[in-house]
Amino acid sequence: MVAVAVIGAAGGIGQPLSLLLKLTPGISRLSLYDIVNMPGVATDISHINTNSSVEFYVGQSQLSNALRGINIVVISAGVARKPGMTRNDLFSINASIVRELIEAVADTCPKALIAIVTNPLNSTVPIAAHVLKSKNCYNPKRLFGITTLDSIRASRFVRDTHGIDAMELHVPVVGGHSGNTIVPLLSMATPQVKLSQKEMEDLVQRTQYGGDEVVKAKDGEGSATLSMAYAGARFTSSLVQAVGGAQVMESAFVPLAADSQGAHQIRRLGANSLDFFAVPIELGKTGTLRIVPLDAEPNMLELKAIDIAARTLKDNIAQGIKYMDSNQPLH
């Protein structure tokens, strides 16, 4: 059985994520951590009649206890995006949060699989990698940025226009996890969907800016928390299955060094020399077993989108590295 820690468990994503993980088969121990409000959240969740135990920890002094003996760490801590907030505004707050949390992971459970929800993901994952390297425990196969929501949105939005069963439809998404770095490969959807050029363009646009749709609809009261919690739980469930011995297919924003050979295709298609990119992966006990090759060549619209995504990602990744270069590890 598998021990999972949710860091940021009292937040807008953390609470529904923790609830969904309490319902996830294969989890034997659920360790919930935040800086406030944990006793009530954890006690409430602990009454659900599944077999996993629930523990809670509050505050920095208890963080190492929350991480001890953990197989999978899911980080959802940080502030959510609000109307008018730029990516840089979000980065300036969440970068230091992720940095401190990853330091604690490196010190307490350095072999755990780490799945990051905290945005801006295109920069927080490189920050995590930098911290792990500084702590001499970096394994690119064990680090993931959860981009599952992009595939979920793409499948749902295709269903909205074409009436296909969204649960049976899979749309691979590559690139990153914000705006024009999100590249849904609609031409490779399974089962195949016939789309006009205009329909493709509209679906790509809606998938890329689905988060803005939620922020606007919530009218200043938050961002995509429930759908993100669902996506986070789905990806974490895949990790749990993988740790248990299954081989599971997912997509995630990962270090391409996790499978240097497998990364050749996406590099040729436009990722070039980038160190991180969202790609389809096969998961196993040790994390990323391999980068799964795309079934076909992307069409011209998708190749152009990958090129745009790569140029934006280059800056996003550099922002995370620059932050770490100017901020030495705390411990």
Side-chain angles (χ1 to χ4, degrees):
M1 301 296 276
V2 181
V4 177
V6 179
I7 309 300
I13 294 172
Q15 288 195 39
L17 172 59
S18 299
L19 169 65
L20 291 169
L21 292 179
K22 184 68 172 79
L23 302 174
T24 300
I27 296 178
S28 57
R29 174 185 164 211
L30 195 55
S31 176
L32 306 180
Y33 170 86
D34 215 317
I35 56 174
V36 293
N37 299 332
M38 276 319 311
V41 172
T43 301
D44 198 357
I45 288 173
S46 73
H47 289 183
I48 294 169
N49 64 333
T50 57
N51 292 323
S52 54
S53 65
V54 177
E55 308 162 4
F56 70 86
Y57 302 89
V58 187
Q60 183 70 30
S61 63
Q62 294 189 20
L63 179 55
S64 60
N65 290 332
L67 293 169
R68 194 159 286 120
I70 292 297
N71 304 112
I72 299 169
V73 180
V74 186
I75 298 177
S76 63
V79 300
R81 188 159 60 98
K82 297 176 182 176
M85 181 178 278
T86 67
R87 188 183 179 285
N88 283 336
D89 294 334
L90 196 63
F91 176 83
S92 65
I93 300 169
N94 286 348
S96 61
I97 294 172
V98 169
R99 170 192 166 204
E100 292 177 25
L101 293 173
I102 294 295
E103 286 187 348
V105 171
D107 290 338
T108 310
C109 53
K111 293 187 178 180
L113 304 181
I114 304 168
I116 298 177
V117 173
T118 307
N119 280 316
L121 202 67
N122 298 347
S123 299
T124 55
V125 171
I127 286 172
H130 197 293
V131 172
L132 294 167
K133 287 176 183 177
S134 74
K135 293 282 190 174
N136 296 315
C137 60
Y138 178 58
N139 183 338
K141 296 180 180 294
R142 294 180 177 271
L143 178 62
F144 312 90
I146 299 180
T147 59
T148 311
L149 182 54
D150 302 323
S151 295
I152 288 170
R153 280 183 173 143
S155 298
R156 175 65 217 191
F157 297 161
V158 170
R159 191 259 176 235
D160 286 347
T161 58
H162 284 70
I164 295 167
D165 185 345
M167 294 296 288
E168 296 298 322
L169 181 66
H170 173 66
V171 179
V173 179
V174 299
H177 186 58
S178 68
N180 65 7
T181 69
I182 300 168
V183 185
L185 301 176
L186 294 159
S187 69
M188 300 182 204
T190 52
Q192 197 170 30
V193 184
K194 289 190 76 172
L195 298 168
S196 69
Q197 180 82 2
K198 178 67 165 56
E199 286 172 327
M200 251 187 209
E201 290 172 354
D202 289 347
L203 284 165
V204 168
Q205 173 77 10
R206 192 178 179 200
T207 302
Q208 290 180 331
Y209 296 98
D212 292 352
E213 192 175 311
V214 177
V215 170
K216 183 179 179 182
K218 289 192 174 182
D219 196 21
E221 296 301 317
S223 58
T225 53
L226 301 177
S227 55
M228 185 61 239
Y230 169 73
R234 196 184 91 173
F235 185 80
T236 305
S237 175
S238 292
L239 289 180
V240 170
Q241 293 174 57
V243 170
Q247 292 182 359
V248 189
M249 301 294 186
E250 276 288 355
S251 291
F253 185 66
V254 296
L256 293 182
D259 178 11
S260 298
Q261 186 70 28
H264 286 168
Q265 182 192 46
I266 199 66
R267 290 195 186 282
R268 175 179 60 79
L269 294 173
N272 302 319
S273 61
L274 292 177
D275 291 329
F276 303 87
F277 215 76
V279 286
I281 55 174
E282 182 179 351
L283 298 168
K285 284 187 175 183
T286 57
T288 299
L289 291 180
R290 66 186 179 108
I291 294 173
V292 179
L294 300 174
D295 292 336
E297 288 287 303
N299 62 31
M300 292 305 295
L301 175 69
E302 292 161 347
L303 285 171
K304 182 179 178 182
I306 290 172
D307 179 63
I308 293 169
R311 283 187 270 127
T312 302
L313 274 170
K314 183 178 180 181
D315 292 337
N316 294 166
I317 294 166
Q319 184 181 32
I321 300 303
K322 182 179 179 181
Y323 171 83
M324 286 307 303
D325 285 343
S326 59
N327 290 272
Q328 295 303 311
L330 298 175
H331 306 296

